[in-house]
Amino acid sequence: VFWNQQVEMLPRGDMAAWQSYKVEKVIERVYEKNAIYKERMAELGILPKHITTLHEIEKMPFTTRRDVAVNYPYGLLTMPISGVAYIHNVQDTVTGNTAMSYTRNDMIMWAELIARMLVAGGVNVTSVFQIIAEPEEVAGKFSMQYGLQQIGATLVPQAIGSRTDMIQMIHDFGVTAVFSRASTIVALAQETGKIHVKPEELPLQNIFCDMQSLSERTAEEIQQAYGIRPVGIYGMFDIWGMGIAGECHCGKGLHLQEDCFYPEVIHPENGQVLPIGQTGELVLTSLTLEAMPLVRYRTGIMCSLDDSPCACGRTLIRMIKT
Ligand SMILES: [Zn+2]
């Protein structure tokens, strides 16, 4: 089942053409509308006209979380604040505060990406969805509700309180799908005895976990406890939210939303772009974000990419976590 079959099954050649077009546009945008990007590009002697093919993006400097923190809150905007509809901010005294700004169109994009990701993982209009997130995971969940609204699923109140309260809520509200950190959902399975049910007796059908929290071992623990294979999804808790990539039922990696994010895998030390299939650090360029596009953002995530056909029919490239 697809949310947006046209995009999710776009032939690879058409996707590359779209990405190439959007990369040119985003580089023009940051050069013309943001002084920091313009200055950095000038230092390297790069003009937007020097980047006309997809792989020429390699000429552009990377951006990092530090850049976002140093230029907090509005330094990386490409428009006046009046064009911004929503700001997502994470206070972090150690690594620096971050604030990400989004236009109305940007929020519509997130809703679309979340809807695609959740539908690929089994959510539909009959789903009763609950977000079980730790306080610091607020960015990962901000966009979830918009995607759920698109699908028409039911979003129940967020679980707060003790773990027993959380499991009681899943039971009482008839929750069929959750987004949770893997360790939390494992811990919840041990609480079910306190409300006199077995984990497999809960109405749960779909368990979504942030990819970074989901190891092979925790995935097995979840499968054993609930009889459900967890679905890995990818996003960030401080920069961009969940929705960048998500698993389909094939479990062969996470389909990356390539029409909105152009992926590269680089050698983490020398920054060289690695061929498809090799493991390195994931670098993402936002292709459609308007307010605060990031070019060649270093995610810090180690993975490889796989563009071979997937049995689900999606042509979107897959991230394979290592
Ligand atoms: Zn697939």
Side-chain angles (χ1 to χ4, degrees), residues 248 250 255 310-314 318:
C248 63
C250 301
H255 289 286
C310 185
C312 75
R314 285 176 185 80
R318 302 192 303 286

Side-chain angles (χ1 to χ4, degrees), residues 7-76:
V7 173
E8 293 177 82
M9 292 183 74
L10 196 66
R12 301 278 325 142
D14 293 354
M15 180 60 83
W18 165 258
Q19 289 175 323
S20 183
Y21 167 75
K22 292 304 281 185
V23 158
E24 259 186 72
K25 292 281 165 212
V26 77
I27 287 166
E28 260 171 44
R29 183 181 188 96
V30 296
Y31 182 82
E32 282 163 17
K33 307 206 183 265
N34 184 274
I36 291 157
Y37 272 105
K38 188 169 193 165
E39 195 183 300
R40 283 179 150 199
M41 286 171 72
E43 277 169 16
L44 295 166
I46 307 167
L47 289 170
K49 68 176 181 193
H50 296 145
I51 295 158
T52 55
T53 66
L54 203 44
H55 89 103
E56 282 175 319
I57 198 174
E58 293 173 25
K59 294 175 184 169
M60 287 290 287
F62 295 113
T63 49
T64 61
R65 191 191 182 285
R66 189 168 180 279
D67 293 321
V68 178
V70 166
N71 296 296
Y72 169 89
Y74 297 139
L76 292 175

Side-chain angles (χ1 to χ4, degrees), residues 237-312:
F237 293 126
D238 53 354
I239 303 294
W240 293 312
M242 291 293 136
I244 295 171
E247 276 185 297
C248 63
H249 63 84
C250 301
K252 295 269 169 69
L254 286 76
H255 289 286
L256 200 138
Q257 315 268 21
E258 283 176 281
D259 57 320
C260 296
F261 293 94
Y262 174 64
E264 298 168 275
V265 169
I266 62 161
H267 190 290
E269 273 135 44
N270 65 23
Q272 289 295 308
V273 177
L274 299 172
I276 282 196
Q278 285 195 24
T279 297
E281 181 180 349
L282 181 70
V283 168
L284 294 172
T285 296
S286 66
L287 297 177
T288 53
L289 289 175
E290 296 174 335
M292 201 172 150
L294 293 180
V295 174
R296 306 195 83 203
Y297 181 77
R298 288 186 68 151
T299 65
I301 295 292
M302 296 296 285
C303 71
S304 62
L305 297 174
D306 184 350
D307 64 357
S308 66
C310 185
C312 75

